[in-house]
Amino acid sequence: MDQPITSPILAKKRIAEAVGDMRDQLALSQTALARKLGCSPGTVGMYESRQRVPNEDFLRKLVKLCGREDELDELLDVRRIAKRREPEWRGIDEGAFLLGFDEFVSLEQAAERIDCYETRMIPGLLQTPDYAWSALNSGSSTAGSSARFKIRMRRQELLSRENPARLWVILDEQALNRPIGSPEIMRAQFDYLLSLPERYEGRVRLQVYPVSAPPSTSPFTMLRFASPHDAGVVAVETRIRTIFFHRPAEINQFVYELDHLREIALPSDQSAELIKRRRREIGDAQGIR
């Protein structure tokens, strides 16, 4: 808990990890810790899984048991943030978004660094408005597309805010070959991708994973936060919900996968040349030079 926290979702994550860390320090099971602190094992489990925010009495007893009373004030500050409501993103219409999307966006906005591997289309954070609108209206159902469009555009503000997040995208070449909207929309989207290094002064990096490379893993996003003690979160989308991975051992597996993807993907300059070539191909098909 080294940097100020403003996101209630991130605060819940930090305080749950602190409880788990102190229990590990004591080398106690959830049942044994509950017995020492006068609560139920289920209560400890809910604290560590972020289903509930620990009460102050529990935290006071826990830090005393661990000999870490100097951390109490900071823990209580984090607890107060965790108890806040998050009107910006909480309560997103679940009929228009995947289950867990509101939690993902809250964590995304709190992230200092975002690493993304995408195979289906240009990631939402890098979509032009026309591409985004076409993508959201390309399916069989367009219900809620206006709300989803507004949220997608708002999410992009994290790249240009006062303390912008850093973004590193590995994009499967197949996403460049998948037409979204008209040829003009695709050309404008490619122009935008080519402008990223200058537009964001090196804070956004893009590599293309070529179709000639071996098949790889499913798409995922890794969110990392401004604390050396926070391993981060990995989010994987399924057809119905976003699944989150929090455990350091799980995060390490995704870090290994990211390193592998980056090693195989084209360097940034070669990726830009591929995008330029794809843009020219669209122009040639239209008779545009």
Side-chain angles (χ1 to χ4, degrees), residues 77 87 107 134 189:
D77 286 341
L107 289 170
S134 297
Q189 177 65 68

Side-chain angles (χ1 to χ4, degrees), residues 246-287:
H246 298 271
R247 295 170 54 194
E250 296 170 335
I251 303 300
N252 288 339
Q253 289 295 317
F254 283 99
V255 169
Y256 173 83
E257 187 64 35
L258 274 172
D259 290 341
H260 177 69
L261 289 167
R262 287 171 181 152
E263 184 177 345
I264 297 176
L266 298 175
S268 296
D269 57 343
Q270 294 181 28
S271 296
E273 288 302 317
L274 190 153
I275 294 170
K276 289 177 184 177
R277 184 167 67 249
R278 184 70 186 108
R279 185 188 185 282
R280 285 196 300 270
E281 290 170 355
I282 295 175
D284 289 344
Q286 292 185 283

Side-chain angles (χ1 to χ4, degrees), residues 87-134:
E88 288 284 345
W89 305 106
R90 300 303 287 177
I92 286 175
D93 179 11
E94 294 180 349
F97 296 90
L98 289 175
L99 295 171
F101 180 77
D102 53 353
E103 180 174 352
F104 170 77
V105 177
S106 294
L107 289 170
E108 181 185 61
Q109 295 298 305
E112 179 184 59
R113 176 173 171 177
I114 302 170
D115 297 281
C116 170
Y117 172 59
E118 182 55 76
T119 63
R120 298 158 295 191
M121 63 178 65
I122 310 299
L125 291 177
L126 297 182
Q127 293 178 4
T128 64
D130 286 340
Y131 183 101
W133 184 255
S134 297

Side-chain angles (χ1 to χ4, degrees), residues 121-233:
M121 63 178 65
I122 310 299
L125 291 177
L126 297 182
Q127 293 178 4
T128 64
D130 286 340
Y131 183 101
W133 184 255
S134 297
L136 291 169
N137 287 277
S138 62
S140 57
S141 173
T142 59
S145 58
S146 179
R148 287 185 291 164
F149 174 79
K150 290 177 182 178
I151 287 177
R152 187 165 298 183
M153 293 297 100
R154 283 178 56 203
R155 286 171 56 207
Q156 295 183 3
E157 295 173 5
L158 63 83
L159 298 176
S160 55
R161 66 193 181 193
E162 185 175 350
N163 295 303
R166 302 183 70 85
L167 175 65
W168 191 337
V169 172
I170 302 171
L171 180 65
D172 195 289
E173 184 180 349
Q174 294 181 90
L176 300 175
N177 298 332
R178 182 169 292 112
I180 302 292
S182 67
E184 291 79 8
I185 288 174
M186 292 298 296
R187 283 166 58 88
Q189 177 65 68
F190 290 158
D191 285 339
Y192 180 75
L193 295 180
L194 292 169
S195 76
L196 293 175
E198 182 177 357
R199 182 184 298 267
Y200 294 109
E201 301 176 337
R203 298 190 305 274
V204 176
R205 185 169 180 178
L206 174 65
Q207 288 182 267
V208 176
Y209 190 87
V211 292
S212 58
S216 191
T217 185
S218 300
F220 66 90
T221 299
M222 179 179 291
L223 307 172
R224 292 189 250 199
F225 310 99
S227 169
H229 305 298
D230 193 324
V233 175

